[in-house]
């Protein structure tokens, strides 16, 4: 019989009556069992899709929203028109767990976003970016450059932004060589050579005061020290030591972030980049976010 999808998943029409579709009912029971056992909405949806479990006659693709609707549909406990598929205790357990997980995710997201608010800058001009929320839009959250002459606005959900930040932090932890910044272009050879030629020219012209030679030698030594990046090398060593004591995470860790990252930049194309305390950069240039000017 052709499936009428406005009837909840798990039921079908037979002889004018709404009855349980036993094959779909088994899927529903497995969803409840797996969810209360610890599987996430995403994991359940991915596994159902992988097994090509039909949702309708036209699709076997599942997503978190479809799984969530099943978990929050009280009809599955039975009513005047619908026979029970799961018992009240299992339904109540799943609903309570879903509410707890949502609250926990919200709290974790809020902590991470509160931290990012203090250190997110515009990739184009370097000005601080301000987070905005518009509940009328599908993606409610956006970040707007505070520089009125720039005006970049990146629309990206809190969850997606934190997922990217976590992914980039994990890359740093798994490959701490990324904490070393790219060496800047230096004109040291030209500047040092100019000092050397100047001193040699003075010596050839005649007697040169010791104070002059000492002064120029100090400047020459300063250039050598600056070019050696001794301070940066020490910072990189310390940062790599910290990273070696960390483990890749599935959720945002404020302590990891504050240990390694100076600030975050958001730019055109929704590019998210982390700028480390060692002045290295790591980023994902493109994602599903949308930007406006």
């Amino acid at each position: 019989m052709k499936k009428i999808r406005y009837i909840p998943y798990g039921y079908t029409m037979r002889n004018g009556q709404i009855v349980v579709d036993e094959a779909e009912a088994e899927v529903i029971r497995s969803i409840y069992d797996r969810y209360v056992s610890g599987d996430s909405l995403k994991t359940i949806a991915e596994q159902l899709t992988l097994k090509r479990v039909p949702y309708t006659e036209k699709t076997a693709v599942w997503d978190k929203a479809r799984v969530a609707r099943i978990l929050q549909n009280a009809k599955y406990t039975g009513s005047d028109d619908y026979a029970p598929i799961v018992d009240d205790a299992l339904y109540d357990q799943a609903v309570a767990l879903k509410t707890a997980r949502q609250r926990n995710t919200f709290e974790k997201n809020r902590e991470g976003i509160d931290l990012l608010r203090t250190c997110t800058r515009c990739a184009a001009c370097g000005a601080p970016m301000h987070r905005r929320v518009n509940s009328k839009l599908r993606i409610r959250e956006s970040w707007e450059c505070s520089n009125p002459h720039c005006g970049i606005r990146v629309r990206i959900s809190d969850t997606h932004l934190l997922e990217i930040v976590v992914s980039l932090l994990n890359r740093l932890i798994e490959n701490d060589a990324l904490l070393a910044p790219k060496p800047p272009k230096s004109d040291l050879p030209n500047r040092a050579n100019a000092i050397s030629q100047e001193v040699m020219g003075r010596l050839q012209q005649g007697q040169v005061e010791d104070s002059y030679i000492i002064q120029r030698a100090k400047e020459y030594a300063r250039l050598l020290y600056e070019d050696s990046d001794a301070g940066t090398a020490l910072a990189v060593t310390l940062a790599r030591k910290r990273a070696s004591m960390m483990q890749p995470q599935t959720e945002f860790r404020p302590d990891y972030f504050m240990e390694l990252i100076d600030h975050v930049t958001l730019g055109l194309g929704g590019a998210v980049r982390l700028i480390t305390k060692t002045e290295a950069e790591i980023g994902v240039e493109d994602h599903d976010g949308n930007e406006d000017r």
Side-chain angles (χ1 to χ4, degrees), residues 156-168:
I156 180 172
S157 71
D158 291 345
T159 299
H160 194 182
L161 176 57
L162 289 171
E163 285 176 349
I164 294 174
V165 171
V166 169
S167 175
L168 295 177

Side-chain angles (χ1 to χ4, degrees), residues 150-275:
C150 181
I152 286 178
R153 185 167 65 250
V154 179
R155 196 170 304 284
I156 180 172
S157 71
D158 291 345
T159 299
H160 194 182
L161 176 57
L162 289 171
E163 285 176 349
I164 294 174
V165 171
V166 169
S167 175
L168 295 177
L169 274 172
N170 285 342
R171 284 174 58 189
L172 289 172
I173 293 169
E174 293 170 341
N175 183 8
D176 60 14
L178 295 173
L179 287 163
K182 295 180 180 179
K185 295 181 179 180
S186 173
D187 63 346
L188 171 67
N190 293 333
R191 291 187 291 163
N193 187 52
I195 291 176
S196 177
Q197 290 181 354
E198 178 186 320
V199 172
M200 291 300 296
R202 290 286 190 91
L203 289 172
Q204 290 176 1
Q205 292 175 8
Q207 189 174 3
V208 179
E209 294 181 0
D210 291 344
S211 60
Y212 167 78
I213 295 178
I214 292 173
Q215 177 188 352
R216 301 305 279 164
K218 287 181 177 179
E219 187 171 351
Y220 188 86
R222 180 179 59 79
L223 289 174
L224 290 178
Y225 178 79
E226 289 179 354
D227 192 67
S228 71
D229 290 327
T232 299
L234 177 60
V236 171
T237 299
L238 293 174
R240 295 181 70 173
K241 178 66 175 177
R242 295 189 186 100
S244 70
M245 300 172 68
M246 300 175 180
Q247 296 294 327
Q249 301 291 312
T250 58
E251 297 177 344
F252 183 80
R253 284 279 301 263
D255 54 337
Y256 280 16
F257 182 89
M258 291 186 290
E259 282 279 350
L260 299 178
I261 306 304
D262 182 76
H263 64 276
V264 176
T265 66
L266 294 176
L268 292 175
V272 180
R273 300 189 69 80
L274 304 186
I275 313 302

Side-chain angles (χ1 to χ4, degrees), residues 24-267:
E24 292 185 355
E26 284 302 312
V27 174
I28 290 171
R29 295 185 189 105
S30 73
I31 288 174
Y32 275 84
D33 288 339
R34 288 161 59 183
Y35 188 74
V36 299
S37 296
D39 283 355
S40 66
L41 299 178
K42 180 180 179 182
T43 297
I44 294 172
E46 288 176 345
Q47 291 179 356
L48 290 172
T49 300
L50 185 64
K51 293 179 180 179
R52 299 197 60 77
V53 174
Y55 180 73
T56 67
E57 289 184 340
K58 295 183 178 180
T59 182
V61 176
W62 291 74
D63 56 28
K64 293 192 297 184
R66 285 176 174 168
V67 175
R69 283 198 294 271
I70 287 174
L71 290 170
Q72 64 193 22
N73 193 338
K75 290 185 175 67
Y76 294 132
T77 62
S79 67
D80 292 340
D81 297 322
Y82 297 92
I85 292 177
V86 298
D87 60 43
D88 290 339
L90 182 58
Y91 174 79
D92 291 342
Q93 185 180 1
V95 170
L97 180 58
K98 188 170 183 295
T99 300
R101 287 183 179 179
Q102 287 175 331
R103 183 180 298 114
N104 190 41
T105 298
F106 173 78
E107 293 297 333
K108 289 179 179 178
N109 278 2
R110 185 172 65 179
E111 183 180 15
I113 292 300
D114 284 348
L115 178 55
L116 292 183
R117 278 177 168 175
T118 68
C119 60
T120 297
R121 303 180 189 173
C122 174
C125 71
M129 295 195 81
H130 296 155
R131 177 177 173 273
R132 311 294 187 197
V133 177
N134 186 337
S135 59
K136 296 180 179 180
L137 299 176
R138 183 176 64 86
I139 300 177
R140 300 184 305 164
E141 303 89 355
S142 65
W143 294 76
E144 184 175 346
C145 180
S146 61
N147 178 1
H149 301 292
C150 181
I152 286 178
R153 185 167 65 250
V154 179
R155 196 170 304 284
I156 180 172
S157 71
D158 291 345
T159 299
H160 194 182
L161 176 57
L162 289 171
E163 285 176 349
I164 294 174
V165 171
V166 169
S167 175
L168 295 177
L169 274 172
N170 285 342
R171 284 174 58 189
L172 289 172
I173 293 169
E174 293 170 341
N175 183 8
D176 60 14
L178 295 173
L179 287 163
K182 295 180 180 179
K185 295 181 179 180
S186 173
D187 63 346
L188 171 67
N190 293 333
R191 291 187 291 163
N193 187 52
I195 291 176
S196 177
Q197 290 181 354
E198 178 186 320
V199 172
M200 291 300 296
R202 290 286 190 91
L203 289 172
Q204 290 176 1
Q205 292 175 8
Q207 189 174 3
V208 179
E209 294 181 0
D210 291 344
S211 60
Y212 167 78
I213 295 178
I214 292 173
Q215 177 188 352
R216 301 305 279 164
K218 287 181 177 179
E219 187 171 351
Y220 188 86
R222 180 179 59 79
L223 289 174
L224 290 178
Y225 178 79
E226 289 179 354
D227 192 67
S228 71
D229 290 327
T232 299
L234 177 60
V236 171
T237 299
L238 293 174
R240 295 181 70 173
K241 178 66 175 177
R242 295 189 186 100
S244 70
M245 300 172 68
M246 300 175 180
Q247 296 294 327
Q249 301 291 312
T250 58
E251 297 177 344
F252 183 80
R253 284 279 301 263
D255 54 337
Y256 280 16
F257 182 89
M258 291 186 290
E259 282 279 350
L260 299 178
I261 306 304
D262 182 76
H263 64 276
V264 176
T265 66
L266 294 176

